[in-house]
Amino acid sequence: MKDSGVEWIGEIPEDWGMSLLGNHFRERTERVSDFDYEPLSVTKRGILRQLETVAKTSNRDDRKKVCINDFVINSRSDRKQSCGLSSLNGSVSVINTVLAIRDIDPEYAKYLLDNYGFAEEFYRWGTGIVDDLWSTRYSSMKKIRIPIPPQQVQSRIATYLDQKTATIDHIIEKTKESIEDYKLYKQSLISEAVTKGLSPDMKLKDSGVEWIGEMPEHWAISKIKHVADFAPNLNLEFDEEQPIGYVPMDRVKSGYLLPGESLFQNLSTGLVPFQEGDIVMAKVTPCFENGNIAVAKNLSQRVAYGSSELFVFRSHGVDTDYLYYFLQTNLFKDASVATMTGTGGLKRVSSSFVRNAYLPMPSVVEQKEISSHLGREIRKMEETIIQKEQLIEDLEAYKKSLIYEVVTGKREVQ
């Protein structure tokens, strides 16, 4: 091994060379129309056909031409590693740099220019004021020094990484599918428990509510407003000189809150009050559909103020956890979504529907049994999901490290 003389590359094999990027790529600057050349998107997943739903630029005649086997990279730092080797002819936004490859293996170039080491170096050569205005022009990019292995080694590297990354990507994809299966099973488990109970032998009857369907014969049916206070006032006192909880919308997650703190006098008007033990649920799209709902816990002084886009429930005739689980069911969510009004991302669930929504009512003892059962089963599922998400994170990190080590010659490819 020998020193490459470049910090991000480090040592390289003795028979590898170092060269300026501009010696092996030329910038393709031809301007075209996306009426004549298919519009392409430059993403972290590579160069893809642009979706019909993507907003088009007002000047559709001012695009950069892309040819098959060109390498395209977004020049902006807030789009780091949005790049790839194009398998398509087409056109891209002028914010991207299009590189025609001269004399190195395109498949090697694909990995060389799309790894975290090069990405950091690429943006180090950029100019600008803040991240979203920071960009790297080709005039600077061409001066970046890159490792150049012998031609046959370039081909071996490309083949090796194609095989290795395909295997890693397959495992990641299967793991993601497994996580989605667990989430679907969780939904099914909750819906079954809060509408049919825990015993498969229970006799069922029609609930009289179309979207709920059948429920056990001995259960009653009620409305949420009869068993929980909707948008209740605080009934706990707090010291205004000390911080209390503050929960903006982005701190309401699926199953838990991430409460912040604020002094009462610093809070803006129009916020929604709630306290420990209340159920807090998003009412605006897409947070509602994503299941952003939680039982409030760990609040400073046991009280908080949150986004006006939250519903708050305080149980008085139903087990809090049982109601919390019922509100997570797709049965309830689908029926609620049908009542949404508004446009685009400002659609909201009807508060009247939520207050008057029906829910099955087993005895308090059964409610607590169902809540305990769901709590245990869901904890197991969530532990498994966390393990699988960690596996994905580890595989992504391994893949990233593998590509860097191979394209810089630190891992020998036979």
Side-chain angles (χ1 to χ4, degrees):
M1 301 289 283
K2 64 182 180 182
D3 185 6
S4 68
V6 178
E7 186 177 354
W8 75 270
I9 297 172
E11 290 190 330
I12 58 173
E14 287 283 353
D15 60 341
W16 287 31
M18 291 293 298
S19 184
L20 298 178
L21 183 145
N23 293 336
H24 305 277
F25 300 84
R26 68 174 177 82
E27 184 181 20
R28 194 183 296 283
T29 57
E30 183 180 347
R31 299 301 173 92
V32 296
S33 166
D34 67 5
F35 291 105
D36 302 318
Y37 290 83
E38 180 181 12
L40 306 175
S41 293
V42 182
T43 76
K44 292 182 185 294
R45 295 182 293 117
I47 314 306
L48 308 174
R49 286 189 167 87
Q50 195 176 85
L51 296 174
E52 287 296 324
T53 53
V54 171
K56 304 291 191 296
T57 176
S58 57
N59 189 354
R60 298 180 65 179
D61 291 323
D62 190 22
R63 308 267 296 173
K64 286 186 178 179
K65 181 180 177 181
V66 175
C67 297
I68 292 172
N69 275 349
D70 283 351
F71 191 90
V72 189
I73 184 168
N74 191 302
S75 65
R76 285 174 43 158
S77 62
D78 61 340
R79 301 289 188 272
K80 195 171 286 186
Q81 281 192 269
S82 290
C83 60
L85 189 71
S86 182
S87 61
L88 303 163
N89 292 315
S91 64
V92 294
S93 163
V94 294
I95 196 67
N96 299 291
T97 298
V98 182
L99 302 176
I101 298 173
R102 285 177 167 150
D103 61 356
I104 63 175
D105 189 317
E107 296 297 321
Y108 170 70
K110 172 179 73 177
Y111 291 109
L112 174 64
L113 303 188
D114 185 13
N115 77 82
Y116 73 92
F118 178 82
E120 294 301 322
E121 182 71 1
F122 176 69
Y123 291 107
R124 191 177 71 81
W125 284 77
T127 56
I129 303 171
V130 292
D131 280 353
D132 61 346
L133 296 177
W134 185 277
S135 61
T136 307
R137 298 179 181 276
Y138 179 70
S139 57
S140 297
M141 181 185 187
K142 68 182 181 180
K143 298 173 187 175
I144 297 174
R145 297 183 69 206
I146 56 175
I148 306 294
Q151 197 71 37
Q152 68 273 21
V153 176
Q154 292 178 31
S155 298
R156 282 208 307 270
I157 285 173
T159 301
Y160 174 83
L161 287 176
D162 280 346
Q163 293 170 348
K164 289 290 187 181
T165 57
T167 299
I168 295 169
D169 289 343
H170 178 73
I171 297 171
I172 289 173
E173 190 58 36
K174 289 297 181 185
T175 306
K176 286 180 178 178
E177 289 175 6
S178 175
I179 289 172
E180 289 307 308
D181 287 342
Y182 270 99
K183 289 178 178 178
L184 288 173
Y185 176 60
K186 173 184 171 182
Q187 265 298 325
S188 172
L189 186 71
I190 293 172
S191 294
E192 186 73 13
V194 299
T195 60
K196 304 292 186 293
L198 300 179
S199 171
D201 301 324
M202 285 188 186
K203 289 185 178 180
L204 303 177
K205 66 179 180 182
D206 185 1
S207 68
V209 181
E210 184 178 356
W211 55 271
I212 292 178
E214 292 187 319
M215 66 181 192
E217 269 188 349
H218 64 288
W219 287 17
I221 195 87
S222 186
K223 289 185 176 182
I224 289 176
K225 68 181 181 181
H226 294 152
V227 295
D229 292 329
F230 190 80
N233 294 319
L234 295 178
N235 58 24
L236 296 176
E237 294 183 355
F238 61 90
D239 182 352
E240 292 189 11
E241 300 301 316
Q242 298 298 321
I244 59 173
Y246 172 56
V247 185
M249 180 61 78
D250 63 356
R251 288 178 172 265
V252 182
K253 305 299 182 181
S254 180
Y256 62 97
L257 300 180
L258 294 172
E261 287 187 336
S262 175
L263 289 175
F264 178 73
Q265 59 264 34
N266 294 338
L267 294 171
S268 58
T269 58
L271 296 178
V272 174
F274 57 91
Q275 62 194 42
E276 294 264 339
D278 288 349
I279 299 171
V280 181
M281 181 176 75
K283 62 182 175 183
V284 67
T285 190
C287 301
F288 176 79
E289 295 95 316
N290 292 341
N292 291 11
I293 178 174
V295 177
K297 297 175 183 177
N298 303 316
L299 305 177
S300 297
Q301 298 198 71
R302 302 186 67 220
V303 299
Y305 281 77
S307 166
S308 60
E309 300 293 356
L310 295 172
F311 287 135
V312 177
F313 308 85
R314 186 172 302 152
S315 302
H316 58 71
V318 65
D319 179 66
T320 296
D321 288 334
Y322 176 80
L323 176 58
Y324 162 70
Y325 286 124
F326 175 78
L327 294 172
Q328 291 185 66
T329 63
N330 282 337
L331 297 172
F332 172 77
K333 286 199 287 188
D334 290 346
S336 298
V337 167
T339 74
M340 279 186 164
T341 55
T343 57
L346 294 177
K347 289 185 177 179
R348 295 176 180 85
V349 174
S350 163
S351 58
S352 175
F353 171 80
V354 173
R355 279 197 304 271
N356 289 285
Y358 289 98
L359 78 157
M361 287 288 290
S363 67
V364 173
V365 171
E366 267 188 281
Q367 290 176 33
K368 291 185 178 297
E369 287 175 351
I370 289 170
S371 298
S372 296
H373 171 75
L374 289 175
R376 287 192 302 271
E377 295 302 311
I378 288 171
R379 274 193 297 275
K380 289 184 210 170
M381 278 187 270
E382 288 176 345
E383 286 170 5
T384 302
I385 288 173
I386 288 170
Q387 290 170 359
K388 288 178 178 290
E389 287 173 338
Q390 184 60 53
L391 173 61
I392 291 172
E393 193 176 315
D394 292 344
L395 286 170
E396 293 282 14
Y398 170 66
K399 176 182 169 182
K400 191 170 158 182
S401 175
L402 175 69
I403 292 171
Y404 170 77
E405 290 179 3
V406 172
V407 298
T408 57
K410 292 169 185 57
R411 183 184 292 243
E412 187 176 0
V413 175
Q414 298 297 333

